[in-house]
Amino acid sequence: MRARVLVRPKAGILDPQGQAVERALPALGFQGVRNVHVGRLIELDVEDPERLPEMCDRLLTNPLIEDWEIEEGGIEEPR
Amino acid sequence: MKFGIVRFPGSCDDIDALQAATRVGEAVLLWHADHDLQGVDAVIVPGGFSYGDYLRAGAIARFAPVMAQVEEFAREGGLVLGICNGFQVLCEAHLLPGALLPNVSLKFVFRQVELEIVRADTPFTRARIPGAPTPRLSIPVKHTTGRFYAPEDELDRLEAAGQVLLRYAPGHNPNGSLRDIAGVCNELGNVFGLMPHPEHAVDPLSGSTDGLTIFDSMRAHVEQHVLA
């Protein structure tokens, strides 16, 4: 299965990267943008998708500071 | 008294840590792929960019073969010191509470900071500087990912349990660490991590020798409790 793992900074934790992007957009004329957060996208082919949550908890994310979400699909290899 | 300094691919402060430890005792390097701590009395996980810090700082290094030995050593009460990247590795390994996030400034910081010793009765802070008017240390920081974070209730618990050993002095917090926390220990008090670099402050040539307090404390503790 092709899967993508979306990794987000946990709600409530100060996200200076999101804040920097939020401040930069109006400078380019993009008004009305709020609540910007920057996370990570991990795409992978996995033989046993049932093991994905364990992969997320043990290596792909740090559950203390990040939330994760698994989606099926994604851009197929090879690109 | 023999210190062991872990060397990962990407470690860069391992030699400074080795030389700093050599000022108070013997010291050897421990290779990341080995399963043997060579009978050392204390372990130092040094600064750098272990395994490139890919994914997250310390996330991959915590699974290095030598870390299984370090975890066992820590469980048995052995002293483990994590400096900067070593602190990040120990947090990822759940040997220490909390996590290190990117600096609020999003910039690399490199400067001398003043630290307040919150507790001077621990294996890492017991060697006070003779004659020092206040229990402070002047030690450099150099990092991009040093903002200590733990949930509010966990911070309350850490403070109540006396696990916060070092704080940035007022006006010296370089990274936005919550409650100005610069260094924390585990519940047992035998594993300690800090973002500042005591190994870079051991020679008068570099402006401060306050970093020796940490290494000398560890030596004193081991000589009193382990080797005695």
Side-chain angles (χ1 to χ4, degrees), chain B residues 54-121:
Chain B
Y54 300 128
L55 195 61
R56 285 182 314 282
I60 296 177
R62 69 150 293 202
F63 295 108
V66 76
M67 284 304 296
Q69 309 302 311
V70 172
E71 285 174 34
E72 190 183 331
F73 182 74
R75 273 198 301 275
E76 290 167 356
L79 293 191
V80 179
L81 170 68
I83 304 169
C84 195
N85 188 227
F87 186 10
Q88 296 160 344
V89 172
L90 296 178
C91 287
E92 283 281 341
H94 307 302
L95 288 173
L96 287 175
L100 284 312
L101 290 165
N103 299 344
V104 165
S105 65
L106 297 176
K107 291 184 177 128
F108 176 75
V109 292
F110 177 30
R111 70 174 78 124
Q112 198 79 8
V113 294
E114 296 280 317
L115 302 170
E116 291 180 347
I117 298 177
V118 181
R119 284 188 59 193
D121 59 344

Side-chain angles (χ1 to χ4, degrees), chain B:
Chain B
M1 163 70 190
K2 185 161 85 167
F3 290 87
I5 291 89
V6 176
R7 171 181 271 179
F8 299 107
S11 294
C12 65
D13 298 323
D14 43 345
I15 295 301
D16 273 31
L18 185 80
Q19 292 185 341
T22 303
R23 287 173 185 256
V24 303
E26 287 176 62
V28 295
L29 286 172
L30 304 172
W31 184 235
H32 71 110
D34 286 348
H35 295 268
D36 177 12
L37 296 187
Q38 299 181 34
V40 298
D41 304 301
V43 171
I44 299 174
V45 187
F49 303 85
S50 52
Y51 291 88
D53 275 349
Y54 300 128
L55 195 61
R56 285 182 314 282
I60 296 177
R62 69 150 293 202
F63 295 108
V66 76
M67 284 304 296
Q69 309 302 311
V70 172
E71 285 174 34
E72 190 183 331
F73 182 74
R75 273 198 301 275
E76 290 167 356
L79 293 191
V80 179
L81 170 68
I83 304 169
C84 195
N85 188 227
F87 186 10
Q88 296 160 344
V89 172
L90 296 178
C91 287
E92 283 281 341
H94 307 302
L95 288 173
L96 287 175
L100 284 312
L101 290 165
N103 299 344
V104 165
S105 65
L106 297 176
K107 291 184 177 128
F108 176 75
V109 292
F110 177 30
R111 70 174 78 124
Q112 198 79 8
V113 294
E114 296 280 317
L115 302 170
E116 291 180 347
I117 298 177
V118 181
R119 284 188 59 193
D121 59 344
T122 77
F124 300 94
T125 55
R126 53 185 270 173
R128 293 161 186 269
I129 307 163
T134 53
R136 277 196 176 191
L137 302 174
S138 174
I139 290 181
V141 291
K142 49 161 192 160
H143 60 252
T144 310
T145 306
R147 173 171 41 124
F148 183 76
Y149 168 83
E152 284 296 315
D153 54 347
E154 173 77 352
L155 292 170
D156 290 341
R157 197 195 61 72
L158 291 176
E159 289 186 328
Q163 289 178 243
V164 176
L165 305 192
L166 293 177
R167 277 188 218 277
Y168 300 108
H172 283 262
N173 186 336
N175 49 35
S177 286
L178 294 180
R179 304 191 192 184
D180 297 326
I181 291 172
V184 295
C185 70
N186 63 343
E187 276 182 53
L188 272 178
N190 65 311
V191 180
F192 174 53
L194 76 170
M195 285 312 295
H197 286 267
E199 81 281 21
H200 295 333
V202 297
D203 192 304
L205 191 65
S206 56
S208 164
T209 57
D210 292 356
L212 279 174
T213 302
I214 307 291
F215 303 101
D216 214 26
S217 296
M218 293 172 73
R219 178 197 56 76
H221 177 87
V222 168
E223 286 183 354
Q224 186 182 343
H225 294 281
V226 183
L227 301 177

Side-chain angles (χ1 to χ4, degrees), chain A residues 10-17 19-20 23 40 42 56-66, chain B residues 55-56 59-60 62-63 91-92 94 97-106 147 149-151 176:
Chain A
K10 249 192 200 321
I13 297 183
L14 183 64
D15 174 18
Q17 217 181 344
Q19 289 179 340
R23 282 195 303 270
R40 273 200 321 278
I42 301 165
C56 287
D57 282 337
R58 288 197 62 206
L59 178 65
L60 300 182
T61 76
N62 180 340
L64 185 68
I65 51 174
E66 294 166 323
Chain B
L55 195 61
R56 285 182 314 282
I60 296 177
R62 69 150 293 202
F63 295 108
C91 287
E92 283 281 341
H94 307 302
L100 284 312
L101 290 165
N103 299 344
V104 165
S105 65
L106 297 176
R147 173 171 41 124
Y149 168 83

